[in-house]
Amino acid sequence: MLLCIDCGNTNTVFSVWNGSEFLATFRASTEHQRTADQYYVWLSTLMQHKGLPMDIDEVIVSSTVPRVVFNLRVLSDRYFNTRPLVVGKPDCLLPAAPRVDAGTSVGPDRLVNTAGAYDRHGGDLIVVDYGTATTFDVVAEDGAYVGGVIAPGVNLSLEALHMAAAALPNVDVTQPQNVIGTNTVACMQSGIFWGYIGLVREICGRIKAEYDRPMRIIGTGGLAPLFDRADGLFDTIEDDLTMHGLTVIHRFNKENT
């Protein structure tokens, strides 16, 4: 079985793939101090609870936090007797090479989202991912990543607002009943909610105008359904896009090495 690991700035997700479907998905906070042994104890306990055997023999990793990759490599070698594929490293092939400025390093998460989205929907796409940052990835007709946009994430903006203004509380991200708030919490929720809808709509509109051809918009990340429900921002929502992209890249490498 294949273990897909997506390490982001906030959370790390582990999904077990049997070749046709994901059998289980587990999530932990991202901590660079966590050792390979700790990863294994945590993961094996959860898999045992699910009734799954630990017969993992392949691993692929996408990480936006370079410091955690070493211990994930040790986990793969020590407990699964395999060398992991690490997206973004020279030995990990991509279905289509990114076309960006020379010397530019593209985030592994963006490469994985591009591969997953193209596999499911073809090219000429905008992938909007609600993570620690809100990212917009432009996928060309041939499946290559050709650039995009990075904006502050929703929760990051709320946290910054709370930390910078002593009188403003922490609030949940939700759709407010009215645009005009009549208390502090409602005002903040309206600003974040409708502000990010405006941000996504405006950026996608400008990308489409600059790209100058029809494009589909794919939403992913935990908050995508909330924002789409209010305003129909996306043509499609993919809740497992990153993990699917990891299986696509893993399959491509097996077929081409």
Side-chain angles (χ1 to χ4, degrees):
M1 291 194 296
L2 171 67
L3 178 63
C4 299
I5 306 175
D6 172 39
C7 179
N9 290 292
T10 304
N11 293 315
T12 301
V13 181
F14 296 73
S15 288
V16 181
W17 173 256
N18 69 355
S20 58
E21 63 178 343
F22 287 109
L23 301 179
T25 295
F26 310 108
R27 185 180 300 267
S29 59
T30 298
E31 297 178 8
H32 69 267
Q33 303 96 331
R34 187 173 283 130
T35 67
D37 300 331
Q38 289 173 317
Y39 277 122
Y40 182 77
V41 170
W42 173 81
L43 183 62
S44 61
T45 300
L46 289 173
M47 289 190 66
Q48 184 179 21
H49 179 72
K50 288 278 189 178
L52 298 174
M54 286 293 288
D55 56 353
I56 292 166
D57 54 6
E58 295 176 293
V59 178
I60 183 168
V61 177
S62 168
S63 177
T64 58
V65 186
R67 294 177 69 184
V68 306
V69 173
F70 174 77
N71 282 322
L72 293 174
R73 286 185 181 275
V74 174
L75 169 72
S76 301
D77 177 65
R78 180 178 297 167
Y79 291 104
F80 305 129
N81 195 32
T82 185
R83 182 184 182 190
L85 272 175
V86 180
V87 178
K89 299 299 183 183
D91 60 343
C92 182
L93 305 177
L94 298 173
R99 294 195 292 274
V100 294
D101 294 343
T104 299
S105 178
V106 181
D109 55 331
R110 309 184 82 175
L111 298 173
V112 171
N113 282 349
T114 294
Y118 181 74
D119 184 69
R120 285 181 170 171
H121 304 286
D124 296 330
L125 306 173
I126 303 171
V127 180
V128 183
D129 188 353
Y130 290 88
T132 304
T134 301
T135 58
F136 300 74
D137 303 327
V138 180
V139 185
E141 184 179 14
D142 63 350
Y145 170 87
V146 293
V149 176
I150 301 175
V154 177
N155 288 310
L156 187 63
S157 295
L158 277 171
E159 183 180 346
L161 198 59
H162 168 65
M163 292 179 66
L168 297 181
N170 275 316
V171 299
D172 294 329
V173 182
T174 187
Q175 181 179 355
Q177 292 184 340
N178 303 295
V179 176
I180 301 173
T182 55
N183 58 67
T184 301
V185 170
C187 289
M188 293 175 66
Q189 288 176 332
S190 183
I192 287 292
F193 186 82
W194 295 112
Y196 269 85
I197 282 182
L199 180 145
V200 171
R201 186 193 295 115
E202 180 70 13
I203 289 178
C204 287
R206 289 183 176 272
I207 289 174
K208 286 182 175 182
E210 191 171 295
Y211 198 74
D212 197 27
R213 62 192 303 172
M215 304 181 78
R216 299 188 70 197
I217 303 175
I218 313 301
T220 191
L223 291 174
L226 172 65
F227 286 94
D228 184 67
R229 187 167 64 244
D231 213 55
L233 288 175
F234 309 115
D235 295 300
T236 306
I237 293 178
E238 299 281 2
D239 60 358
D240 65 343
L241 184 64
T242 302
M243 287 302 171
H244 177 67
L246 285 171
T247 69
V248 171
I249 292 173
H250 178 265
R251 183 176 70 239
F252 182 80
N253 277 264
K254 288 194 70 173
E255 293 172 351
N256 291 276
T257 55

